[in-house]
Amino acid sequence: MANLYAQLASRFPRDRSRTFASSPGATTLSYADLERISGQYANLLVDLGVTPGDRVAVQVPKSLDMLMLYLGCLRAGAIFLPLNTAYTAGELAYFMADAQPALFVCDPAQADAIRVLADEAGVPKVETMGSRGEGSLPLAAADRPGGFETRNADDDDIAAILYTSGTTGRSKGAMLSHGNLASNCQTLCEHWRFTDGDTLLHALPIFHTHGLFVATNVVLSAGAQMIFLPGFDVEQVLAALPQATTMMGVPTFYIRLLKEERFTRDLVSHMRLFISGSAPLSADIHRAFRERTGHAILERYGMTETNMNTSNPYDGDRLPGTVGLPLPGVTIRIADPETGAVLPQGEIGVIEIRGPNVFKGYWKMPEKTEAEFRNGFFISGDLGFIDAAGYVSIVGRAKDLIISGGYNIYPAEVETALDELPQVRESAVVGVPHPDMGEGVVGVVVPASADFADSAAITGALADKLARFKQPRHIVFVEELPKNGMGKVQKTVLREQLAQLFQ
Ligand code: MLC
Ligand code: AMP
């Protein structure tokens, strides 16, 4: 087929003066602006010596410039590699060494520290990009011509790498191809009936699948527009909602909106669609939202490695507590987690996925990639079942993973950081119910000396090691961890004991 950008551009509105994105109090970009600025970034990348297949790593605050750089990378055939802004220096050092980007783009405020890391990792170029158009990269791009002939790309050429943590603690770069991304956003655009009359309220981060590929690519596929907010701020969202027709969010967005009395049926009477994903949306929130607004939130299920897999229907029943039906072109099966045998309808097992949406593998980790596929199906690590009507429900996880406010946290990584501390003999990290974030991270620690109980010393020592969202919100000291006969920590027991901690 073609470069993802070219496929998107073929569906841009004929009238290029139409708005692509507006940020209240800041920039508005038309589709003509988008073509020109993404072309300027593509020309700049070429001038900087970035060649097709090179990685461009980007850790900058959310901005429309960052989106233009994403599109510029697609056009130039470079691999866009966005990084969570919460990552610490230690975490970044790993990504730099692993991905070996040709260019690292960072927040101007971090430039000095990043240059040191880049030197150590052999990353040849560091440029900066701030949240309001400042920084060396936007400045240099502004001098470049806007015309750029988008490079050809094959379906299997890699468009982006997104790092996802692993159960063993080492992050893996998921390689997503032009074909993966193009097929998924086209499917979603049709499935969710996006048209050029839509305005999406965009309050998600753009370094993850949800805000970057689902939200942005769907808007571009429809030639629609978006209201682009720097993040989820409830005041800004309430103010922007009356201009929007659709919204995508993690469950925390909807939990927070429901807390506001000003979030009423009237405020959203013109809205067409609310979509939720990245973490389980409780049936209670689904019902409370419907009662308040008259809207049934449409829940869908996806992963970094697979883009979107299932969705509740646009027409028809959006069943609370389910993630809906497989998307067109996507096959889902339920397998026995141990043997891999495909299970009969209705039985609980691990969800496996096949389709044009499924990624091309982990960057430089062929064995890991192979281990996560079974007969062409990607093994999600999520546990679920399919009902008689074909709806998929997720009931748990075979992988030891915590999802907090839509961010994934692998306990193994946090346990490793805890166990390295001299005050800690051993630790176990679990997720327990949290009213705002879905799950909250708790560190259960057996101290090295029996009378040690200084939780602030423990959390303080993690501050530079782990991104803030991964750090335990509570440290609980115990004399010993509950273990089974094999010596394995019984996390279910800990989760039960700590279930009320955040309530
Ligand atoms: C921020 N903090 C978090 C957090 N987000 N801690 C745990 N979990 C999170 N998700 C930290 C902050 O640094 C802060 O630290 C403290 O928690 C409280 O912050 P807050 O002000 O309440 O948080 P806020 O900035 O409002 O952010 C919450 C949020 C945000 C829910 C709006 O996390 C968010 O936008 N989440 C979306 C994530 C997402 O897009 N996931 C998609 C992944 S793709 P301190 O120091 O002040 O205590 C994927 C595939 C798919 O999963 O299917 O979509
Ligand atoms: P990530 O690695 O950030 O892509 O996270 C993917 C994981 O998020 C999936 O494997 C699921 O565990 C979870 N997830 C995504 N959408 C949903 C959903 N609608 N309901 C429950 N879990 C979800």
Side-chain angles (χ1 to χ4, degrees):
M1 278 276 281
N3 186 304
L4 169 62
Y5 178 86
Q7 298 195 51
L8 295 169
S10 71
R11 295 191 289 273
F12 289 170
R14 194 161 302 154
D15 175 4
R16 299 288 210 257
S17 68
R18 292 186 66 160
T19 300
F20 158 60
S22 59
S23 296
T27 344
T28 295
L29 292 187
S30 65
Y31 274 89
D33 294 330
L34 176 154
E35 283 185 315
R36 176 176 47 81
I37 303 172
S38 66
Q40 289 177 319
Y41 276 110
N43 277 312
L44 175 59
L45 291 170
V46 172
D47 290 352
L48 288 171
V50 173
T51 57
D54 279 351
R55 278 76 55 214
V56 175
V58 181
Q59 190 199 32
V60 300
K62 181 177 177 181
S63 72
L64 287 173
D65 266 294
M66 178 174 166
L67 275 190
M68 295 305 107
L69 174 59
Y70 157 60
L71 298 177
C73 283
L74 293 177
R75 299 184 69 174
I79 298 177
F80 188 67
L81 195 161
L83 293 163
N84 193 323
T85 45
Y87 288 140
T88 61
E91 290 165 318
L92 289 179
Y94 170 80
F95 297 125
M96 286 189 191
D98 192 59
Q100 289 291 303
L103 169 66
F104 195 102
V105 187
C106 70
D107 187 338
Q110 311 293 329
D112 289 344
I114 295 291
R115 286 210 171 87
V116 173
L117 292 175
D119 274 351
E120 283 167 8
V123 175
K125 283 198 180 66
V126 174
E127 300 288 346
T128 62
M129 177 182 272
S131 58
R132 296 190 161 267
E134 75 278 22
S136 61
L137 207 68
L139 267 179
D143 283 343
R144 298 304 191 277
F148 184 86
E149 197 174 328
T150 299
R151 290 196 204 271
N152 288 329
D154 289 335
D155 266 1
D156 284 349
D157 286 346
I158 304 306
I161 293 180
L162 267 62
Y163 274 88
T164 97
S165 300
T167 37
T168 53
R170 240 191 107 198
S171 288
K172 301 164 288 184
M175 299 189 288
L176 294 147
S177 69
H178 286 259
N180 290 149
L181 300 176
S183 72
N184 207 236
C185 66
Q186 184 58 25
T187 301
L188 296 175
C189 182
E190 287 164 18
H191 205 72
W192 296 337
R193 312 272 171 88
F194 272 77
T195 69
D196 61 3
D198 272 312
T199 300
L200 176 84
L201 180 53
H202 193 306
L204 289 157
I206 51 172
F207 44 69
H208 275 315
T209 296
H210 198 162
L212 186 62
F213 302 139
V214 186
T216 308
N217 287 353
V218 164
V219 165
L220 291 168
S221 292
Q225 58 172 293
M226 59 180 164
I227 302 170
F228 194 73
L229 301 179
F232 185 87
D233 173 86
V234 80
E235 293 301 326
Q236 287 184 350
V237 169
L238 290 173
L241 268 170
Q243 284 84 51
T245 61
T246 53
M247 176 173 170
M248 295 182 191
V250 295
T252 302
F253 287 15
Y254 299 117
I255 291 170
R256 289 184 180 182
L257 282 173
L258 282 173
K259 288 224 171 78
E260 297 296 322
E261 274 176 22
R262 291 167 294 162
F263 184 65
T264 59
R265 192 175 278 251
D266 274 355
L267 190 81
V268 298
S269 56
H270 61 290
M271 285 288 282
R272 180 175 79 72
L273 184 62
F274 290 92
I275 301 173
S276 178
S278 307
L281 180 75
S282 81
D284 286 350
I285 295 295
H286 190 283
R287 289 193 194 101
F289 198 93
R290 188 164 203 170
E291 225 158 82
R292 176 88 69 92
T293 64
H295 283 279
I297 298 175
L298 183 155
E299 186 171 7
R300 60 39 170 200
Y301 160 55
M303 294 185 75
T304 303
E305 287 92 334
T306 62
N307 297 283
M308 299 305 103
N309 304 313
T310 71
S311 169
N312 270 279
Y314 190 81
D315 297 319
D317 286 341
R318 299 178 194 166
L319 295 183
T322 81
V323 294
L325 305 145
L327 284 164
V330 179
T331 308
I332 304 264
R333 68 181 189 190
I334 306 292
D336 183 305
E338 305 303 327
T339 64
V342 178
L343 296 172
Q345 183 264 309
E347 285 193 24
I348 293 175
V350 69
I351 298 172
E352 298 187 348
I353 303 141
R354 191 180 63 190
N357 52 318
V358 176
F359 75 141
K360 297 293 151 193
Y362 296 113
W363 170 254
K364 291 200 298 199
M365 290 186 181
E367 295 87 12
K368 274 246 177 284
T369 304
E370 212 181 301
E372 306 226 6
F373 279 87
R374 200 158 21 216
N375 302 326
F377 280 76
F378 177 69
I379 307 168
S380 70
D382 291 309
L383 297 174
F385 67 92
I386 304 180
D387 74 9
Y391 282 73
V392 178
S393 293
I394 299 175
V395 299
R397 297 176 199 132
K399 52 194 174 190
D400 191 11
L401 164 70
I402 300 168
I403 304 184
S404 171
Y407 286 147
N408 286 8
I409 297 136
Y410 279 88
E413 188 183 358
V414 186
E415 286 158 4
T416 306
L418 282 171
D419 293 347
E420 280 169 4
L421 302 177
Q423 304 95 321
V424 175
R425 179 141 65 84
E426 61 174 340
S427 67
V429 169
V430 289
V432 300
H434 189 288
D436 181 41
M437 296 285 190
E439 287 182 281
V441 182
V442 182
V444 184
V445 164
V446 181
S449 60
D451 56 349
F452 180 85
D454 183 355
S455 56
I458 302 286
T459 44
L462 294 183
D464 293 342
K465 290 191 173 186
L466 295 174
R468 179 76 181 114
F469 69 90
K470 299 178 189 169
Q471 295 170 22
R473 292 300 144 129
H474 266 293
I475 299 287
V476 176
F477 292 98
V478 295
E479 276 176 29
E480 57 185 329
L481 296 171
K483 291 188 180 163
N484 66 15
M486 312 282 284
K488 192 169 183 287
V489 178
Q490 293 173 299
K491 293 203 168 175
T492 333
V493 174
L494 290 175
R495 278 192 285 266
E496 275 165 19
Q497 289 171 349
L498 299 168
Q500 297 303 316
L501 203 59
F502 293 108
Q503 302 301 315

